[in-house]
Amino acid sequence: MPFRSTLNARPIALSAALALATLTLSCQMALSQPSGAPRQNAQAAPAASAVSSAPSQTTASFGDWTLRCQRVAADKPERVCEVAQTIQVQGQAAPLAQFAIGRAGKGEPMRATAVVPANVSFASNVQVAMEKESTPFELSWRRCMPGGCFADGIAKDEQLKGWRSATERGRLSFTDATGRAINLPLSFHGLGPALDALSKEAL
């Protein structure tokens, strides 16, 4: 089955955080309203605030990798940035999986995050390896949402150095709900320059 890489504009870490926050807020609002109480009418939207001159979202391509940044809040300068690769089956519009490297916030460790289809088996973790590498890098399952399951792990400097210098194709592996091993191609081409650009981005 042929695969290809493409771009996706929203950081994985931010997407997961926003989705989880939205779900939590919805549940809290539902629980706080007494049973049988009438729904409150929607209030008028507040006046629009001034638009910042800085872009709220940016992307830059480096080989098979994309540096993507997004502001956490419209009225604050802090941004979440990561380098990512999206894997798609040729002929299909929806991404099959995503793999990203970045920090969730200032002072946080560098993490590698994978998003794969929701029909997975939790008997084994997600693994990232090169064709000739004997010891794969493992990512632990964190959460599943309707759009996919998230797994991540701390990517130490030694691991990143190995990926930077890789000249061979890698693979992103996991086990689906039927017990079948899934191996998706992962390219390290352009990862070094992408990580260099990521290091220059202020959070």
Side-chain angles (χ1 to χ4, degrees):
M1 182 181 297
F3 299 93
R4 66 184 176 90
S5 297
T6 187
L7 310 183
N8 189 298
R10 174 164 295 199
I12 290 176
L14 183 59
S15 297
L18 288 177
L20 197 59
T22 301
L23 179 61
T24 302
L25 181 60
S26 299
C27 292
Q28 289 176 344
M29 291 177 65
L31 291 174
S32 63
Q33 186 159 341
S35 176
R39 292 181 177 272
Q40 296 181 354
N41 294 328
Q43 296 180 356
S49 58
V51 178
S52 172
S53 59
S56 60
Q57 182 174 289
T58 60
T59 63
S61 299
F62 299 86
D64 294 326
W65 291 81
T66 301
L67 169 65
R68 53 199 191 190
C69 297
Q70 185 166 333
R71 278 189 290 170
V72 178
D75 58 343
K76 294 182 180 180
E78 291 85 1
R79 300 192 301 166
V80 172
C81 297
E82 66 186 13
V83 295
Q85 188 172 143
T86 301
I87 303 169
Q88 284 185 280
V89 177
Q90 288 186 2
Q92 295 186 12
L96 180 61
Q98 294 187 68
F99 182 67
I101 303 169
R103 290 185 172 88
K106 188 175 181 179
E108 294 291 326
M110 191 77 82
R111 286 186 173 274
T113 303
V115 184
V116 299
N119 60 328
V120 300
S121 170
F122 296 111
S124 61
N125 291 328
V126 177
Q127 296 184 339
V128 176
M130 289 178 280
E131 292 179 351
K132 299 178 181 178
E133 187 177 33
S134 58
T135 305
F137 176 76
E138 292 203 354
L139 296 85
S140 301
W141 296 112
R142 296 303 178 193
R143 65 181 69 87
C144 280
M145 299 178 182
C149 291
F150 291 74
D152 73 1
I154 296 177
K156 297 182 179 180
D157 291 343
E158 183 179 352
Q159 182 66 63
L160 294 175
K161 183 179 179 180
W163 288 344
R164 278 174 172 270
S165 60
T167 57
E168 58 190 280
R169 184 171 289 275
R171 64 181 182 275
L172 180 69
S173 305
F174 60 96
T175 304
D176 70 10
T178 66
R180 180 181 57 170
I182 305 297
N183 295 293
L184 303 178
L186 185 66
S187 170
F188 295 104
H189 175 62
L191 178 58
L195 288 174
D196 290 339
L198 176 64
S199 67
K200 296 176 184 178
E201 291 290 342
L203 291 170

